Amino acid sequence: MTTTPTPIAARHKGFNRAEIVDQNFTEFVGEWRGEVRAAPRDDAPVLPGSTLDAKGFRELLESQLISRHLDLMARVLRVQNKVFYTIGSSGHEGNAMVARLTRHTDPAFLHYRSGGFMAERFRKLPGMDPVMDSALSFAASKDDPASGGRHKVWGSKPLWVLPQTSTIASHLPKALGTAIAIDHAKRIGHVLPVPDDSIAICSFGDASSNHATAQTAFNAAVWTAYQKLPAPVLFVCEDNGIGISVKTPGGWVASNFQSRSNLDYFYADGLDLAEGYAQVQRAVEHCRGTRRPTFLHLRTTRIMGHAGTDFEIEWRSIEELVAVEASDPLLRSAAIALEAGLYTKDALLELNETIRKRCFVAAEEADRRPKLERLDDVMKPLAPYTPAAVQAEAERADYADARLKAFGGEAKLPENQPPRHLAIQIGQALHDVMAKYPESLLFGEDVAQKGGVYTVTKGLHKAFRNTRVFNTLLDETIILGLAQGYANMGMLPIPEIQYLAYFHNAGDQIRGEAASLQFFSNDQYRNPLVMRVASLGYQRGFGGHFHNDNSIAALRDIPGLVVGCPSRGDDAATMLRTLTALARVDGRVCAFLEPIALYMAKDLYEAGDGQWQFAYPAPGEAMPLGEGRVYNEQAKDLVVFTFGNGVPMALRAARSIEAELKWKVRVVDLRWLAPLNDAFIAAQAKGARRIIVLDEGRKSAGVGEGVITAIVEAGLGATPLQRVVGADTFTPLAGAAFLVLPGEADVVAAAHKLA
């Protein structure tokens, strides 16, 4: 890189560094005294030895200036309450090279310092305006084409930029998942929404590269490549040497990634378009051609601090700030433009001012555009639900030939078998779902040849082979990242999380990523998936906390997530049909909680009675979202609300209560835990003389609190009520577990209190 002279304004000891950075450019151009070459043709190298042609350089320079002036505009208008986001891209404008050298159909998951990338990618399609679109996002306008005013995001549906919020590495697993999905689609005959040779682009900072979520993505990429499976992801580490105020040790990124086996490392100077272009080009072509995970170490710098509220002068010396500002990539681009004879000094300054004016005009216009002013408008894309279409899809049964093949003939169809227990019927329902949806994939730890630790997925690998039923590495974050990647590419993922306690290791992949995508993209992008989780307590002879976790609050707290929990096999089948229809029709993210302790339960009251085995519901039957099941519907003396393990427990307790207190007892199985059906709960509570809420979760933040709230808000709070819940503790091992979980005796005791 040619040494850039220290700009005049950089030596000023002013406190408004944004103004100084802006003035630096003007003064640098005005004071430039270098040798001017004859202007090259558009298709000739901008400078001798560069692979970047003159036309390409001019366009990249314009993209850099657009990004810079959007940053400067945001700093000025934020204090006028016209802009609501000031984390800028200044110093990172070299990422525009990545955009130029990739396609607009290469799915991109971007770092928040991606203004240059976006400005350049907007060139890929005619009629698009990076300035106005970005200004609308900065202004949180309802007209923002990326998020509809819900957040300042870099995103675009036509440009295949999936919106991210302020991600700290949480987007890396789904970027890798998308890359794997691109090549996996060919193996199952799925038609992709992007070209077959697309790559996934994922940018992040040097500080973020140290995050556990980033490390798990790198590890999974290496693990995939080690097995010679395609994973065409371009990891772009934009190394500016600092994370907010924490400096990255010099040379750390190169030392950490340069020699990793099966992660192919490339370096590029993002501060110098003429020099860095060929380096970026090599990385992109390598990733696309080899289909291997590729790490592009892009040198950048950070100009003007982390955000508008970061007054660097308070914690960095003026000498250090001056040195950083002297490395501004726009100064190097200005020097190239002038040296190559592409612009005179006056013409370059005029271009700079034209783009400045364009950004401010767009921002003022964006400020006049409508904002989100109604709660309904804010929430509209969060959880779309079209009941009639979902029910029709759930009941669709036009795949008879595929069913026969999956089950091995007419005689083996599950509806022609005797009543069976929960584990068997979940497995049968999964065969059904995968026969119905050829784009569906089931994966997780131990789900393939072994059939899962509880044999729930037994037979699926044999029926659908390794292309559609496969084991993953032992990493819940990657399992859920893969799920999002497959969903991005139009497939229907059914990931398994082996135990509910393991979900908490990776919860942000659902909370912060999968479930938020519809919201932050204004329903332009969706993550349709059904996450199966072996759940809840009451396992005998095995477990402790990690295998008997009853913490459902973490799931119910996720906006838009659908959570279903069956207690019996036939309900599991009809619920799965609805969950997959919700995913397929409305793009919903769903969790299917499978009560482990009921997997093998066959009896209800006495050993051998077989009363907890049920006939398999034939295709065409499905359970509407929110619909519960009611036992002894006419009973009013006592109504017990419960779910999961609580259902057979309540039915057994009801026998004792009826014998001891002579009451008629109704048991209500909620089945759907999020969203709770408040109207259904109120209807069942109305007319009840007494109510028990039996919640096998913990006392605090459990499902039971939602049930009681629905009852009280329906005006039924005067009904005598008792709550039977688990203790606020982790679950211990062996018999002690049953001391912290509610039991039948507790339900009977609660009834006696009500008496």
Side-chain angles (χ1 to χ4, degrees):
M1 172 178 170
T2 303
T3 301
T4 301
T6 300
I8 294 171
R11 298 193 290 268
H12 296 173
K13 295 187 178 182
F15 284 83
N16 188 333
R17 305 314 298 182
E19 287 184 7
I20 288 175
V21 167
D22 188 23
Q23 188 181 355
N24 279 345
F25 184 86
T26 301
E27 293 188 2
F28 177 81
V29 173
E31 297 296 323
W32 191 79
R33 295 288 183 269
E35 180 183 344
V36 179
R37 301 172 183 269
R41 300 188 316 272
D42 278 357
D43 60 352
V46 64
L47 288 179
S50 176
T51 62
L52 176 61
D53 61 34
K55 179 177 183 293
F57 174 82
R58 282 196 299 268
E59 292 181 347
L60 283 169
L61 173 59
E62 183 182 0
S63 294
Q64 288 186 309
L65 287 168
I66 287 172
S67 178
R68 176 61 55 85
H69 282 294
L70 286 171
D71 282 1
L72 293 169
M73 172 274 294
R75 299 294 178 106
V76 172
L77 297 186
R78 176 64 193 98
V79 297
Q80 300 177 33
N81 214 35
K82 294 181 178 181
V83 161
F84 303 94
Y85 193 86
T86 57
I87 295 180
S89 304
S90 295
H92 285 245
E93 291 89 353
N95 56 35
M97 293 186 287
V98 180
R100 187 170 189 86
L101 286 161
T102 54
R103 306 170 184 162
H104 79 277
T105 48
D106 290 329
F109 304 82
L110 299 180
H111 187 232
Y112 42 61
R113 304 195 193 281
S114 296
F117 181 102
M118 287 301 298
E120 186 64 25
R121 183 166 270 207
F122 268 87
R123 297 183 190 281
K124 303 286 186 178
L125 291 177
M128 300 193 71
D129 183 357
V131 174
M132 193 65 217
D133 280 13
S134 299
L136 290 165
S137 191
F138 276 106
S141 169
K142 189 177 180 179
D143 293 341
D144 165 27
S147 76
R150 289 167 186 82
H151 203 283
K152 162 63 190 73
V153 295
W154 296 120
S156 170
K157 179 65 174 177
L159 295 175
W160 269 100
V161 179
L162 289 80
Q164 312 300 307
T165 57
S166 296
T167 47
I168 303 298
S170 59
H171 57 309
L172 272 69
K174 65 180 181 182
L176 173 63
T178 302
I180 292 172
I182 289 169
D183 278 74
H184 194 153
K186 305 167 193 174
R187 300 197 293 277
I188 66 169
H190 174 69
V191 178
L192 286 166
V194 296
D196 288 356
D197 65 343
S198 297
I199 64 174
I201 304 159
C202 181
S203 62
F204 50 93
D206 49 294
S208 294
S209 73
N210 300 306
H211 196 283
T213 310
Q215 292 296 321
T216 201
F218 301 140
N219 180 69
V222 168
W223 187 84
T224 304
Y226 179 77
Q227 299 177 89
K228 304 195 183 314
L229 296 171
V233 58
L234 181 66
F235 290 120
V236 184
C237 181
E238 299 184 14
D239 184 0
N240 63 25
I242 198 166
I244 302 185
S245 68
V246 180
K247 294 180 181 178
T248 298
W252 167 247
V253 173
S255 174
N256 197 13
F257 292 97
Q258 195 168 16
S259 301
R260 284 201 187 186
S261 178
N262 291 301
L263 183 60
D264 302 338
Y265 175 93
F266 291 81
Y267 172 83
D269 188 349
L271 303 180
D272 188 326
L273 298 181
E275 184 173 335
Y277 194 78
Q279 298 163 336
V280 174
Q281 187 173 31
R282 282 195 292 271
V284 171
E285 291 177 352
H286 173 84
C287 184
R288 196 179 304 280
T290 65
R291 319 303 289 165
R292 283 173 57 83
T294 304
F295 189 96
L296 173 59
H297 182 189
L298 186 68
R299 180 189 179 200
T300 62
T301 189
R302 193 185 75 193
I303 308 291
M304 303 193 309
H306 175 72
T309 55
D310 179 18
F311 300 106
E312 289 184 295
I313 195 70
E314 296 178 352
W315 58 273
R316 298 180 89 171
S317 70
I318 188 68
E319 292 77 17
E320 186 179 357
L321 286 174
V322 167
V324 168
E325 289 160 3
S327 68
D328 187 343
L330 263 64
L331 302 184
R332 175 59 185 149
S333 292
I336 295 170
L338 296 169
E339 180 184 345
L342 297 179
Y343 293 91
T344 65
K345 290 193 285 188
D346 287 344
L348 184 54
L349 291 173
E350 182 180 357
L351 175 65
N352 185 53
E353 293 307 314
T354 298
I355 291 175
R356 181 199 308 279
K357 182 178 179 180
R358 181 181 169 193
C359 289
F360 272 90
V361 168
E364 294 291 349
E365 169 61 23
D367 180 55
R368 292 189 288 270
R369 296 286 189 92
K371 304 291 194 295
L372 290 168
E373 295 178 346
R374 297 174 62 250
L375 177 61
D376 287 350
D377 289 339
V378 172
M379 296 185 63
K380 184 178 180 182
L382 174 66
Y385 179 40
T386 50
V390 168
Q391 194 67 18
E393 176 62 21
E395 294 175 352
R396 180 171 64 84
D398 56 355
Y399 56 104
D401 290 345
R403 288 191 84 228
L404 288 172
K405 182 179 179 181
F407 286 106
E410 184 80 28
K412 294 184 178 180
L413 291 176
E415 60 268 33
N416 296 331
Q417 306 301 312
R420 305 302 296 269
H421 51 280
L422 179 66
I424 292 292
Q425 292 196 325
I426 291 175
Q428 292 170 333
L430 290 170
H431 277 78
D432 242 340
V433 164
M434 296 194 72
K436 183 175 184 177
Y437 298 106
E439 72 275 21
S440 61
L441 305 165
L442 187 144
F443 51 91
E445 301 161 17
D446 302 302
V447 299
Q449 293 88 342
K450 179 177 173 61
V453 293
Y454 296 99
T455 69
V456 174
T457 58
K458 183 179 180 181
L460 284 164
H461 182 261
K462 182 178 179 181
F464 298 101
R465 311 310 302 165
N466 211 47
T467 51
R468 293 185 58 201
V469 179
F470 53 91
N471 294 322
T472 65
L473 69 172
L474 198 153
D475 186 334
E476 288 74 27
T477 298
I478 285 301
I479 291 170
L480 296 177
L482 278 172
Q484 293 173 80
Y486 287 122
N488 289 334
M489 292 296 100
M491 290 172 260
L492 180 58
I494 308 173
E496 176 180 294
I497 300 298
Q498 203 164 80
Y499 291 99
L500 180 57
Y502 298 175
F503 166 77
H504 306 302
N505 300 335
D508 192 53
Q509 287 300 303
I510 298 295
R511 183 197 66 81
E513 296 295 335
S516 72
L517 183 61
Q518 281 179 279
F519 183 77
F520 287 119
S521 72
N522 202 15
D523 201 22
Q524 296 176 87
Y525 282 105
R526 294 176 163 189
N527 266 316
L529 64 89
V530 179
M531 174 180 67
R532 296 177 45 246
V533 190
S535 306
L536 307 175
Y538 301 100
Q539 251 193 119
R540 293 185 179 275
F542 181 60
H545 162 65
F546 286 106
H547 305 99
N548 280 287
D549 189 2
N550 61 342
S551 176
I552 304 169
L555 288 164
R556 294 189 67 245
D557 182 57
I558 299 173
L561 182 68
V562 176
V563 182
C565 181
S567 63
R568 44 189 273 182
D570 54 346
D571 283 357
T574 56
M575 181 179 282
L576 263 174
R577 291 169 187 167
T578 298
L579 289 169
T580 50
L582 280 164
R584 190 31 85 220
V585 173
D586 289 328
R588 299 295 291 274
V589 180
C590 306
F592 183 63
L593 306 186
E594 303 171 7
I596 300 170
L598 295 179
Y599 272 151
M600 305 302 174
K602 301 175 183 177
D603 308 321
L604 178 58
Y605 298 112
E606 289 88 28
D609 68 15
Q611 291 193 45
W612 211 242
Q613 298 185 102
F614 301 92
Y616 186 82
E621 297 180 38
M623 181 195 305
L625 177 63
E627 182 181 272
R629 180 183 288 277
V630 181
Y631 299 83
N632 200 11
E633 190 166 4
Q634 302 306 313
K636 293 185 177 181
D637 293 325
L638 174 65
V639 175
V640 181
F641 290 93
T642 190
F643 63 92
N645 292 289
V647 177
M649 183 190 303
L651 290 170
R652 288 189 290 268
R655 273 200 169 185
S656 299
I657 293 167
E658 289 172 352
E660 295 172 19
L661 297 174
K662 311 305 179 188
W663 291 350
K664 298 296 184 183
V665 181
R666 186 190 323 166
V667 174
V668 178
D669 182 357
L670 299 167
R671 300 197 292 197
W672 300 96
L673 308 185
L676 278 176
N677 188 339
D678 292 351
F680 168 71
I681 292 168
Q684 292 300 317
K686 187 176 182 180
R689 298 187 179 95
R690 304 161 192 87
I691 294 172
I692 289 177
V693 177
L694 170 57
D695 178 358
E696 63 181 288
R698 298 172 192 166
K699 180 180 180 181
S700 299
V703 174
E705 291 183 354
V707 174
I708 293 171
T709 299
I711 292 169
V712 171
E713 290 183 347
L716 303 171
T719 307
L721 183 148
Q722 285 284 312
R723 184 158 59 127
V724 180
V725 296
D728 281 336
T729 181
F730 299 105
T731 306
L733 193 61
F738 296 91
L739 300 175
V740 306
L741 298 170
E744 293 169 37
D746 299 311
V747 180
V748 176
H752 278 277
K753 286 183 181 180
L754 290 170

